Amino acid sequence: MNNFKADKNSSVPIHHQLYLYIKGLIESGEFSEGESLPSENEMIKLYEISRITIRRAISDLEHDGLVLRRRGSGTVVQHIKKQRTLSQFSSFSGDAKVKGDKPGSIILKIEKMEAGVKVGEKLNIASKSQIYFIKRLRLLNGKLIALHETYVRSDLGFSIKNSDFDTNTSLYEFLEEHGIKLGSADETIEAKMSSSEVKRDLFLEDNQPVIYKERVTFDQNGKPIEFSENTYIADSYKYYVHIVNVRGDSNETL
């Protein structure tokens, strides 16, 4: 925190300079979750800037979910939500590894069962067809963030057993190792309140929101292979979308 020096000749406002500096410290891990930032009086002495400027920077950090001001505790660093882009097809494990995180799982259930109407429609099979059901708690750097309930069609030429999965197994890697070439996925996302069963599995408080995601994964020929219902703890995950102007008219006024 001692390396910040306000550039008063910069076109960037000083409060935003301070915002970017503290944001960088949080994202780099120099300030960890739950750690308190220096007080306003300490920052005034360190940086030789006004209280109003400091309060504006802290307000912007709080608005972006990076810190939380608590009466009696000062300004505390918040948990940084893990970001995932919606425009790229990847697995939970693969996406985590790309970002330098450590994925993990707790296997709750693996069994063979009838598809039922909803799963049958998603996988384009009869409702009485047999499918494999895999229920896992998903961990990121040892922290519980999601519940994944996955349904895999059983006519792919191989079986799925409890012994096939451990805390580090990626389902998509498992499928590709068995000759399934994955090609694309359809995904829907919504915010919702969780059921009592999901609350129990994820150790949620009453009225704690979740991000609910359904995904149908297809092979390279467009055949539906897997349907999953995934519930993420809302304060641990967020999604990122890059949007382009499909008309290609950079001068269009929005």
Side-chain angles (χ1 to χ4, degrees):
M1 287 291 293
N2 297 328
N3 295 327
F4 176 76
K5 181 68 174 177
D7 183 357
K8 298 180 180 180
N9 296 318
S10 172
S11 61
V12 179
I14 294 176
H15 76 267
H16 194 63
Q17 293 179 37
L18 180 60
Y19 162 88
L20 292 173
Y21 175 69
I22 298 176
K23 180 174 183 283
L25 294 178
I26 293 172
E27 291 179 341
S28 69
E30 187 162 337
F31 275 108
S32 57
E33 179 183 355
E35 188 173 353
S36 295
L37 297 183
S39 68
E40 289 181 3
N41 289 335
E42 288 172 323
M43 284 196 237
I44 289 172
K45 293 178 182 178
L46 280 172
Y47 308 137
E48 299 178 347
I49 54 180
S50 70
R51 190 181 302 276
I52 292 175
T53 299
I54 292 168
R55 286 182 175 176
R56 174 66 187 276
I58 297 301
S59 178
D60 289 348
L61 288 164
E62 185 173 36
H63 178 269
D64 289 348
L66 295 169
V67 302
L68 180 65
R69 284 182 283 193
R70 294 175 176 169
R71 188 178 299 275
S73 301
T75 302
V76 179
V77 175
Q78 291 289 86
H79 171 71
I80 299 178
K81 297 183 180 183
K82 293 303 177 179
Q83 179 172 286
R84 175 182 174 272
T85 176
L86 294 180
S87 59
Q88 297 176 355
F89 171 66
S90 64
S91 67
F92 175 88
S93 297
D95 190 60
K97 290 174 183 177
V98 166
K99 292 179 171 61
D101 294 313
K102 183 180 179 181
S105 300
I106 298 174
I107 311 300
L108 299 181
K109 185 183 294 185
I110 297 179
E111 64 180 7
K112 203 170 185 180
M113 58 185 286
E114 283 191 1
V117 175
K118 180 177 180 178
V119 176
E121 289 178 351
K122 298 292 185 179
L123 295 178
N124 196 25
I125 58 178
S127 61
K128 293 187 177 297
S129 297
Q130 292 290 301
I131 52 93
Y132 292 105
F133 173 59
I134 306 169
K135 184 176 182 179
R136 297 172 290 174
L137 295 176
R138 307 312 303 267
L139 311 175
L140 207 56
N141 303 320
K143 181 175 181 178
L144 175 62
I145 69 165
L147 171 68
H148 285 190
E149 297 175 281
T150 306
Y151 310 86
V152 182
R153 57 192 307 151
S154 64
D155 58 354
L156 301 175
F158 55 86
S159 61
I160 298 178
K161 308 179 294 294
N162 277 277
S163 58
D164 293 325
F165 283 77
D166 60 25
T167 186
N168 298 314
T169 305
S170 164
L171 173 63
Y172 285 3
E173 289 179 4
F174 174 85
L175 291 174
E176 296 202 335
E177 286 169 1
H178 286 77
I180 305 299
K181 302 298 183 183
L182 301 175
S184 63
D186 288 339
E187 196 165 275
T188 61
I189 301 168
E190 61 181 302
K192 63 187 297 186
M193 302 307 296
S194 56
S195 66
S196 57
E197 182 179 359
V198 169
K199 284 181 186 177
R200 183 192 67 229
D201 289 336
L202 288 176
F203 304 97
L204 298 176
E205 302 290 339
D206 288 339
N207 300 320
Q208 186 173 350
V210 295
I211 297 171
Y212 175 73
K213 179 182 71 175
E214 289 188 358
R215 174 188 278 194
V216 179
T217 307
F218 304 89
D219 67 13
Q220 291 181 330
N221 298 317
K223 177 181 178 180
I225 301 297
E226 169 242 15
F227 168 60
S228 62
E229 297 178 292
N230 305 321
T231 304
Y232 293 86
I233 300 173
D235 62 4
S236 297
Y237 223 66
K238 66 179 178 181
Y239 291 84
Y240 165 79
V241 183
H242 174 65
I243 300 174
V244 298
N245 178 7
V246 295
R247 294 179 59 183
D249 182 2
S250 61
N251 295 318
E252 181 179 6
T253 301
L254 299 180

